[in-house]
Amino acid sequence: MYAKCGQLKTARKVFDEMPERNVVSWTGMIYGYAQSGETGEALSLFKQALYENLDVNDFTFSSVLNVCGNTTVLELGKQIHGLCVKTSFDSSSFVGSSLISLYSKCGVIEPAYQVFEEVRVRNLGMWNAMLIACAQHSHMNKVFDLFKEMERFGLKPNFISFLCVLYACSHAGLVEKGKYYFELMNKYGVDPAAHHFASLVDLLGRAGKLQEAISVIEKMPIAPTESVWGALLTGCRIHGNTELAAYAADRVFELGIVSPGMNVLLSNAYAAAGRWEDAAKARKMLRDQGVKKETGLSWVEEGNRVHTFVAGDRCHVRTREIYQKLEELGEEMEKAGYVPDTSFVLREVDGDEKNQTIRYHSERLAIAFGMITFPPDRPIRIMKNLRVCGDCHTAIKFMSKCSGRVIIVRDNNRFHRFEDGKCSCGDYW
Ligand SMILES: [Zn+2]
Ligand SMILES: [Zn+2]
């Protein structure tokens, strides 16, 4: 109870003072730490539980695996997976779900499929974990196949399952299919929430059906949220409808508190429509909120070490080699046709990366580090806490082509697998 209410100190006090503890109390404490993002504490308590030869159960494993997934520590996750196999808990669908999301979040989808195949009795959570993994990795056809299979097994898809198929439709530009799934929610008695509407509007908007998107919004039984208008804004931006974009921006403004990322969208929408004063107002709102901008970070795992980079970073011990690698690669990339688009620096880049030279955005430093460190046949896996900017996305495509390497980038939005000059997201992210 204390852990769930976020009072971890009190929870720990109770835990420490218990004369006798069993697997339930240990797991409760570990789960509490895991839920609050106290990664270190969760893991060290888990180690202690193992050390004291305590019987852990599938729920304990599931909790620590979630910790590994959220912090994307793949090596440790694999070790814990090994322990699950030893103790036969790998057949539990709770453990299975956690393993699937661990592997998926760490950028490797194959072992996730394998886990899914190996667990014979699957609960809804596990199906959903697999659906999310496929969606994150752009295996859109697999999303549809799984959904069908789920129905065949007589499982009732829930709101998460539907979010996944709608997302897949939107990503693949399948308008009719998207509408079909949206209608299907009715049949399963799932009330569409704001996110489902946002997904449908996103699908229609990207396909250029802006009027239809508007009429969906007008008929919504619940009040449209920022995410719904944001989806419309995206469609307007793609199809150059500045007037409708400004209209959507006005509606967002009426909602009052706006998230920092949205303010940038609004400001751009107004600027595109020539409403400079409103654009300035949106920018000012962002400043007034005193939002602490998140620092852009990219990190890469090497054995048991994690190397973290910020834009323009010169702190790493191998800085000279990293910049030299970027220099060399830059020349090859330009020969291959890469032209840096610095307008992204003004338009889309969040946080303080804006002020840094685009060539040294954190993900590029991390990739260069990977190139000088890992053997050529090993994919380079990078994690980033912000969205990858448009120019870096283009640049990384060229990096993969010129170096012949597979580069996997997980940003705060999705996965990108770059290979031979192409990205798995199909430039749709
Ligand atoms: Zn960038
Ligand atoms: Zn991509």
Side-chain angles (χ1 to χ4, degrees):
M1 187 273 284
Y2 281 125
K4 278 189 180 155
C5 296
Q7 303 204 4
L8 284 170
K9 282 216 174 80
T10 319
R12 184 59 191 255
K13 189 164 179 286
V14 174
F15 178 82
D16 285 338
E17 285 169 359
M18 285 170 79
E20 240 177 83
R21 292 169 241 167
N22 65 6
V23 62
V24 181
S25 29
W26 280 89
T27 305
M29 198 61 233
I30 292 172
Y31 178 79
Y33 282 129
Q35 288 302 94
S36 321
E38 302 254 358
T39 314
E41 289 291 342
L43 292 175
S44 84
L45 205 58
F46 177 69
K47 272 188 203 153
Q48 200 184 330
L50 293 179
Y51 187 69
E52 293 190 11
N53 252 332
L54 187 95
D55 278 330
V56 283
N57 63 16
D58 51 345
F59 199 60
T60 329
F61 276 121
S62 166
S63 298
V64 281
L65 285 167
N66 288 342
V67 170
C68 295
N70 292 336
T71 47
T72 64
V73 284
L74 182 59
E75 293 311 316
L76 184 62
K78 278 185 188 163
Q79 284 171 23
I80 297 172
H81 186 177
L83 277 177
C84 296
V85 174
K86 250 190 226 161
T87 48
S88 297
F89 280 117
D90 60 326
S91 59
S92 143
S93 55
F94 290 105
V95 172
S97 308
S98 302
L99 282 169
I100 290 170
S101 59
L102 161 76
Y103 285 119
S104 172
K105 283 177 177 169
C106 291
V108 284
I109 183 93
E110 286 312 321
Y113 280 130
Q114 215 172 330
V115 168
F116 187 75
E117 284 308 318
E118 279 165 8
V119 179
R120 298 319 305 175
V121 185
R122 305 167 188 144
N123 61 9
L124 182 63
M126 188 159 165
W127 283 91
N128 282 339
M130 198 64 232
L131 282 172
I132 295 169
C134 294
Q136 278 177 332
H137 288 264
S138 302
H139 290 193
M140 298 313 173
N141 286 328
K142 195 76 192 163
V143 173
F144 300 128
D145 290 348
L146 279 171
F147 192 90
K148 257 184 236 146
E149 213 183 316
M150 222 173 134
E151 288 187 290
R152 238 195 344 267
F153 273 104
L155 258 114
K156 191 173 166 283
N158 70 356
F159 66 102
I160 295 174
S161 332
F162 277 106
L163 270 182
C164 290
V165 277
L166 287 172
Y167 175 87
C169 292
S170 169
H171 183 96
L174 301 168
V175 175
E176 290 311 313
K177 206 166 186 156
K179 287 193 211 162
Y180 162 77
Y181 282 119
F182 197 82
E183 285 303 314
L184 195 64
M185 294 181 72
N186 220 336
K187 187 182 139 195
Y188 282 108
V190 180
D191 287 330
H195 281 303
H196 299 96
F197 280 103
S199 213
L200 183 62
V201 169
D202 181 75
L203 168 66
L204 294 167
R206 284 179 190 270
K209 299 178 182 294
L210 293 168
Q211 282 314 316
E212 209 177 328
I214 278 283
S215 78
V216 165
I217 296 176
E218 279 166 354
K219 286 187 204 125
M220 277 176 67
I222 47 174
T225 56
E226 189 187 304
S227 64
V228 175
W229 292 116
L232 184 66
L233 269 174
T234 304
C236 292
R237 196 183 50 192
I238 293 171
H239 295 283
N241 191 330
T242 52
E243 204 177 313
L244 193 57
Y247 167 80
D250 288 341
R251 300 290 83 73
V252 178
F253 246 121
E254 286 168 9
L255 294 175
I257 297 159
V258 180
S259 63
M262 181 56 86
N263 265 313
V264 179
L265 268 183
L266 295 187
S267 166
N268 290 341
Y270 285 134
R275 287 168 58 180
W276 304 108
E277 266 176 39
D278 289 324
K281 211 161 72 187
R283 291 265 171 204
K284 184 172 180 301
M285 224 162 100
L286 186 61
R287 282 195 302 274
D288 290 352
Q289 281 173 355
V291 190
K292 207 175 145 283
K293 287 181 188 169
E294 210 179 341
T295 303
L297 292 176
S298 294
W299 60 100
V300 53
E301 216 184 339
E302 181 221 356
N304 281 329
R305 274 197 67 190
V306 177
H307 301 259
T308 310
F309 299 89
V310 297
D313 205 328
R314 287 183 183 274
C315 298
H316 196 275
V317 283
R318 300 184 69 183
T319 290
R320 259 193 46 184
E321 292 164 83
I322 290 170
Y323 278 81
Q324 200 181 345
K325 184 82 209 168
L326 280 178
E327 208 65 45
E328 284 166 24
L329 204 59
E331 281 172 25
E332 284 179 53
M333 285 157 63
E334 272 170 35
K335 273 190 205 135
Y338 165 67
V339 183
D341 180 356
T342 46
S343 66
F344 282 110
V345 179
L346 296 171
R347 278 192 284 125
E348 327 188 339
V349 178
D350 293 340
D352 61 2
E353 289 208 327
K354 185 168 291 181
N355 306 323
Q356 291 293 341
T357 319
I358 200 157
R359 298 168 62 189
Y360 304 127
H361 275 174
S362 56
E363 55 270 52
R364 303 198 196 186
L365 299 176
I367 291 168
F369 171 76
M371 286 184 174
I372 59 172
T373 310
F374 304 141
D377 54 341
R378 182 173 152 185
I380 299 170
R381 291 190 309 113
I382 306 292
M383 307 290 160
K384 177 160 198 203
N385 65 340
L386 302 178
R387 187 177 180 276
V388 174
C389 84
D391 186 57
C392 283
H393 193 269
T394 310
I396 300 169
K397 286 200 281 187
F398 278 99
M399 285 171 152
S400 73
K401 193 172 177 62
C402 296
S403 65
R405 294 235 189 197
V406 174
I407 303 167
I408 300 160
V409 179
R410 187 191 99 166
D411 65 6
N412 65 348
N413 194 29
R414 57 169 301 120
F415 273 100
H416 304 269
R417 184 190 164 90
F418 298 90
E419 193 169 4
D420 195 29
K422 291 192 200 70
C423 180
S424 61
C425 76
D427 299 336
Y428 198 129
W429 88 103

